[in-house]
Amino acid sequence: MLLHSPSSGSCKFWIGNALYSASVGMVLARLIVNDTDHGPHWFRVPLRDKDEGILFPGINIITVGPEGGMHGIQMAAIRFNQVSIPLDAMLQRYSKISSDGVYHSEMDQPQRYINLFETFLQERLIPLYMLVKSSATALNITFKYSQNRIISYEPTCKTLIMEPLFCQRLYPELLKSAAIMIMGKIIVRMFVNSWENKNSYKELQILASAGKYIGTSLGLDVLRQCRLMCGALGFHHYNKIITLQNDAEAALTYAGDNSVMSYQIAKHMVRTHRFNNPMTVPTNLAQEVEKKVVADCQHNPLSHAAAQILSYSYGLDLVIQEIQNSGILDDELLLDLINVFSPYLSENPSPVVPTMEKITYLINLISPPPELITAPIANADYTKEFTSKLYIE
């Protein structure tokens, strides 16, 4: 088999640690057999003779950094130029190529495409737990800072944590961090209990999407607020908070853009419509919001705003039930946590209708001088600009 990247648009981007170290890369590529395109498949492709070794012939790799955060990961672009790989380089759980070049799959192409992304089920837990730990770390740093930061000496020494207005800022972020910690525990438990049952994967996919979406969104909110609560010191590299925030920004995209996650969750909830039965009565705020927004979506197209509201209601419902069953928070703390979620569960707003005319008008209205718009991705040929070094023979 030959692995080939014929154009700049077919290069592989952001392959972790491929730039200098990785000896093997997992590559998602279209499989073409006898001029028939069988869609994307996974391939295990050797890159170097050893870790940090010499690249194999036909493989070219360049940096696509510097990235805004996560500097410990070697971001790269890879071009494969007629690279020969053995048949067993293709992962063959669901599809096979015989030694005489005949392709066979036990499932049709749409189902194969779904199964391709099983790996993302577990991968989406990584950014969730990244934000669980990052937000907890930032909050602990912020709390200790507030204990040490003296704001007055008269009539007695007073530190920042003694200021009620500061506590009103800190407390909601602690509740958010507790919520995503609890949600992480729920999801891991359900993964452990259901992983061997393939029929549960659709439910696990929604869980993973919700954990990734809510965990990273709320977690990043916490980091931003911690940065602000620590003032200029929160912006200092060695105080860690701004570094955690920069790294967390990438988590919103890692393993699937957060908006796409919310669409998956919302479509599932609209399709399920679990409160359609008059005998099924909501028992908490999250369920009440879900019932109302889902009912509205039966008559109106699903909007981006509705998808976000439904995603938060899905996650909050899980957290409420877990707290009520485990007693990890008392009733007063639970009520406060629900109140913290309330802004994310606001009434479904009247949809705005974007048109290219409106968008163009506003872009022209706000545009700075063209000399300032110099980002490579603002150019039509940005893929060529990023990968031109790979195509210099």
Side-chain angles (χ1 to χ4, degrees):
M1 289 195 297
L2 292 178
L3 185 60
H4 186 52
S5 309
S7 65
S8 58
S10 59
C11 291
K12 298 301 176 185
F13 278 87
W14 319 113
I15 305 296
N17 293 330
L19 184 60
Y20 302 117
S21 356
S23 58
V24 174
M26 295 305 301
V27 177
L28 191 60
R30 290 166 53 207
L31 177 65
I32 300 174
V33 181
N34 297 324
D35 296 325
T36 300
D37 189 342
H38 295 285
H41 287 66
W42 284 108
F43 298 86
R44 185 180 185 276
V45 182
L47 303 175
R48 296 175 171 85
D49 57 348
K50 60 181 179 180
D51 289 355
E52 301 182 5
I54 298 172
L55 291 170
F56 288 122
I59 300 176
N60 296 304
I61 303 180
I62 60 172
T63 180
V64 291
E67 61 275 14
M70 303 184 77
H71 294 152
I73 298 178
Q74 303 162 23
M75 303 299 187
I78 305 179
R79 179 195 177 188
F80 299 100
N81 190 2
Q82 303 290 348
V83 176
S84 178
I85 56 176
L87 285 177
D88 62 6
M90 186 176 86
L91 302 191
Q92 301 186 36
R93 177 182 293 180
Y94 305 115
S95 306
K96 290 181 171 56
I97 300 177
S98 66
S99 56
D100 54 351
V102 178
Y103 175 82
H104 171 74
S105 178
E106 61 188 58
M107 58 184 64
D108 57 22
Q109 187 159 328
Q111 186 60 41
R112 283 203 309 273
Y113 187 80
I114 293 172
N115 283 54
L116 276 175
F117 297 100
E118 280 185 15
T119 178
F120 286 119
L121 278 176
Q122 298 177 65
E123 195 170 353
R124 284 173 181 155
L125 302 188
I126 297 173
L128 164 62
Y129 265 88
M130 171 186 172
L131 268 298
V132 167
K133 298 304 181 184
S134 294
S135 65
T137 299
L139 282 164
N140 275 274
I141 292 170
T142 303
F143 179 66
K144 290 180 180 298
Y145 167 73
S146 71
Q147 291 177 307
N148 298 325
R149 175 69 166 90
I150 298 173
I151 58 175
S152 70
Y153 287 98
E154 299 294 339
T156 59
C157 182
K158 182 179 180 182
T159 58
L160 190 58
I161 193 62
M162 299 176 186
E163 172 57 56
L165 291 175
F166 177 83
C167 293
Q168 290 170 24
R169 298 172 68 188
L170 179 65
Y171 182 52
E173 308 313 315
L174 290 166
L175 289 167
K176 291 177 189 176
S177 186
I180 61 175
M181 178 198 73
I182 293 168
M183 191 168 184
K185 292 180 182 296
I186 296 169
I187 293 172
V188 168
R189 184 177 68 237
M190 297 183 76
F191 264 66
V192 170
N193 292 341
S194 304
W195 187 252
E196 297 301 322
N197 179 11
K198 291 282 186 180
N199 294 327
S200 70
Y201 275 24
K202 182 169 288 188
E203 179 185 1
L204 293 182
Q205 182 181 29
I206 301 302
L207 276 170
S209 296
K212 197 265 177 178
Y213 174 81
I214 297 171
T216 56
S217 297
L218 288 186
L220 191 54
D221 281 351
V222 172
L223 292 174
R224 287 169 175 156
Q225 292 305 314
C226 286
R227 209 292 292 165
L228 293 170
M229 283 186 278
C230 293
L233 291 172
F235 203 68
H236 195 285
H237 173 78
Y238 291 136
N239 286 330
K240 294 182 67 172
I241 295 174
I242 191 62
T243 306
L244 292 170
Q245 180 182 326
N246 285 343
D247 288 352
E249 290 285 353
L252 299 179
T253 304
Y254 181 78
D257 176 71
N258 266 17
S259 291
V260 176
M261 299 295 99
S262 73
Y263 304 156
Q264 291 178 351
I265 301 161
K267 288 177 180 177
H268 167 77
M269 296 172 77
V270 170
R271 185 169 54 249
T272 306
H273 200 359
R274 61 173 174 159
F275 294 110
N276 188 38
N277 186 340
M279 301 300 293
T280 308
V281 179
T283 59
N284 59 51
L285 174 64
Q287 292 182 7
E288 291 171 2
V289 171
E290 176 188 340
K291 179 179 180 179
K292 183 179 185 303
V293 177
V294 167
D296 182 68
C297 290
Q298 304 302 314
H299 309 288
N300 300 297
L302 176 68
S303 68
H304 174 76
Q308 293 185 302
I309 291 170
L310 285 173
S311 297
Y312 280 111
S313 67
Y314 178 90
L316 178 59
D317 185 31
L318 290 175
V319 171
I320 290 173
Q321 293 186 59
E322 179 72 11
I323 291 171
Q324 290 173 335
N325 291 334
S326 67
I328 190 172
L329 300 182
D330 62 26
D331 291 344
E332 187 173 348
L333 281 169
L334 174 56
L335 181 59
D336 287 345
L337 185 148
I338 293 171
N339 288 334
V340 164
F341 266 79
S342 293
Y344 303 96
L345 302 174
S346 59
E347 293 294 326
N348 192 13
S350 299
V352 296
V353 182
T355 66
M356 283 309 301
E357 289 78 12
K358 293 177 182 178
I359 291 170
T360 302
Y361 174 79
L362 292 172
I363 285 291
N364 291 334
L365 179 67
I366 67 170
S367 285
E371 292 79 10
L372 297 180
I373 308 175
T374 57
I377 57 172
N379 303 323
D381 61 349
Y382 74 93
T383 57
K384 290 182 180 179
E385 186 171 349
F386 275 125
T387 62
S388 59
K389 292 181 181 179
L390 292 174
Y391 288 86
I392 297 174
E393 300 298 343

